[in-house]
Amino acid sequence: MQRTTLYGPFSELLPMHNLAMHGPLSDEDLLIIRDGGIVVEGERVLETGEYSELAKKYESAVQVFNTEENMVAVPSFIDCHTHICWAGSRANDYALRVAGKSYLEIAASGGGIMDTVRATREASEDELVNAILVHVNELLKQGIGIVEVKSGYGLNKDAELKMLRAIKSANQQTPVDLIPTFLGAHIKPKDFEGSNSEYLDMLFEEVIPVIQKEELCTRADIFVEEGAFGLDEAASYSKKLMSLGFDMTMHADQFHTGGAKLANELGCVSADHLEFSDDETVEKFRDSSTVAVALPGASLGLGMQYTPCRKLLDQNACVAIATDWNPGSAPMGDLLTQASLLGASEKLSISETLAGITFRAARALRIDAGKIEKGTTARFSVFKTSDYRNIFYYQGRLRPTHTILRNECIQH
């Protein structure tokens, strides 16, 4: 028999339903249930509403919290773009960047991604699993219940498969849902003797069949940028993978334009970065099914401009926000701090910022999540405050006290 649990009462409960997937949101658009409660049966939300009424209706339910303390409940957050499977350190890269070297200059001189590739290739699968779990536990403490995790630091058949197997294994050892993405097309490694196109052909012919056979992932990514892969290469590779049923996303417009337009033309599920997207590119996102994913951690890590989120939203784009947590350009891994700073700079309403790390981030992953409503998997986080706006007002200093994932209440 499935356990029925009543959570609350919450000074404010924000279910985040009945909100537009695209375009601007005002804080007046938010439904706030005062003195609210959440009924969970098994792993799914059964009902939300006024706590006192739910307590009468579900007398036999197990009551969790049942306190007069001020608490706010929101959907657990979603980090829809991370690289948290890695080994080694890139502190040297950081020192070079703050001394004046650019990200592309460091990569061209043999540092950058290849430093992490060397360390990740040397690490065992178990070591990578442990590294993932350490990072996931840090994200869970922020109230994050779903995390996308990319490969991309192996850059050969064996190492890429090792990373994906590590992600699959880690997913079985944490209450957080890990969504794997194949990023073998991060860059062409220096030890591959052929061309970019030949490297992409190798991934398609030798790695993808194993990924499908072992059911390691159904998402793929490619870095479209100078020093990585060009537009024609990315288009050909993406079309092949999409023909096999893969959801395709792109690292696009991080330093130069072009990739985001291509992502929209191909119908990719998302285009991520977009720091250099111009007005013409921003217009491509109008009513687009391709989600624009802002990565403020990379902007902070590299000391560069943010994704033009205000312009994108005003063009009726669907905008998500993620950490890009990686050892090189975005080592912070703090979604709440990054989202808060991005919101302050880009003049995002709190509801737009909150949507960007809940249901709009879920759209970037093509999953049904980021809301608290009947039938959804129970994923929500609890903050000790009387006002939901404090979550962003304190710019990451206010952390959740509890995160509930599938009816498991995790205290932080």
Side-chain angles (χ1 to χ4, degrees), residues 200 204 220 222 231-250 262 265-268:
L200 294 176
F204 185 77
I222 184 168
L231 296 175
D232 291 342
E233 294 161 347
S236 175
Y237 178 74
S238 298
K239 288 175 183 177
K240 288 180 181 179
L241 288 180
M242 292 168 76
S243 73
L244 296 178
F246 278 77
D247 284 337
M248 198 70 203
T249 183
M250 286 186 180
L262 176 63
E265 291 168 2
L266 295 177
C268 293

Side-chain angles (χ1 to χ4, degrees), residues 278-308:
D278 55 20
D279 289 346
E280 181 183 351
T281 301
V282 167
E283 290 178 6
K284 296 289 185 182
F285 284 92
R286 177 181 287 276
D287 303 320
S288 174
S289 63
T290 299
V291 178
V293 180
L295 303 175
S299 297
L300 293 166
L302 296 176
M304 60 191 289
Q305 69 266 27
Y306 290 113
T307 301

